Amino acid sequence: MTEATETTTDTTTPATQLWVERTGVRRYTGRSTRGAEVLVGSEDVEGVFTPGELLKIALAACTGMSSDRPLARRLGDDYDATVRVSGKADRERELYPRLDEVLEVDFSELDADAASRLQVVVERAIDAVCTVGRTLKQGTEVNLSIRTD
């Protein structure tokens, strides 16, 4: 059985539905109504992301996307950036107590003052609009229901 979830509260745009389907032992395919797919499974399954890895990738992608406008405005549309994210799971509590991100971007063509100002602007943008990061920092209520039909 698939379970779709609404991912937006904007009533003018149809909500993207998200779900996973079991495709094998400890193996799932995540899907969206926009046609995206991602392979999900346990660490011992080749060619898949674990759910924890997807959580980290979502955080890194959100950081990158949240910083994109201020960086492009100052560095140009063709700037290069990489966001690395890491964090070990606490297996006793089954959670990630800490996630560390590093945004790698070249400020070498800026003078020290301009680089410092841009860093502040980028940090503020990420803090203001990275929904994934804000959710992780705040915490969120998760409700599960099980349908057996």
Side-chain angles (χ1 to χ4, degrees):
M1 172 168 71
T2 63
E3 181 68 25
T5 60
E6 189 170 316
T7 60
T8 183
T9 57
D10 180 357
T11 57
T12 61
T13 306
T16 299
Q17 302 295 304
L18 304 172
W19 67 97
V20 298
E21 295 174 352
R22 186 172 190 266
T23 57
V25 176
R26 303 208 23 97
R27 191 176 175 94
Y28 288 77
T29 299
R31 302 183 190 281
S32 83
T33 52
R34 292 192 339 267
E37 292 185 350
V38 63
L39 302 178
V40 185
S42 58
E43 277 187 39
D44 60 342
V45 177
E46 285 296 315
V48 301
F49 289 104
T50 68
E53 290 167 341
L54 288 173
L55 174 76
K56 293 174 197 175
I57 286 173
L59 177 61
C62 190
T63 293
M65 292 173 66
S66 298
S67 64
D68 199 73
R69 282 195 177 116
L71 287 171
R73 210 171 20 249
R74 186 61 180 94
L75 303 175
D77 286 336
D78 62 346
Y79 77 92
D80 292 323
T82 301
V83 183
R84 299 188 189 281
V85 63
S86 61
K88 293 190 182 279
D90 175 340
R91 289 298 170 206
E92 287 183 21
R93 298 185 299 157
E94 286 300 334
L95 58 82
Y96 293 96
R98 177 184 174 132
L99 297 175
D100 295 305
E101 291 183 282
V102 177
L103 171 56
E104 298 172 354
V105 62
D106 184 1
F107 284 8
S108 65
E109 296 200 12
L110 303 176
D111 64 46
D113 287 340
S116 180
R117 285 191 308 272
L118 182 55
Q119 184 167 338
V120 168
V121 168
V122 167
E123 288 171 353
R124 285 182 182 157
I126 293 166
D127 286 344
V129 299
C130 178
T131 305
V132 175
R134 292 171 60 85
T135 298
L136 289 171
K137 289 175 185 175
Q138 172 73 34
T140 193
E141 182 178 325
V142 177
N143 298 304
L144 169 68
S145 61
I146 299 175
R147 295 186 185 145
T148 60
D149 50 302

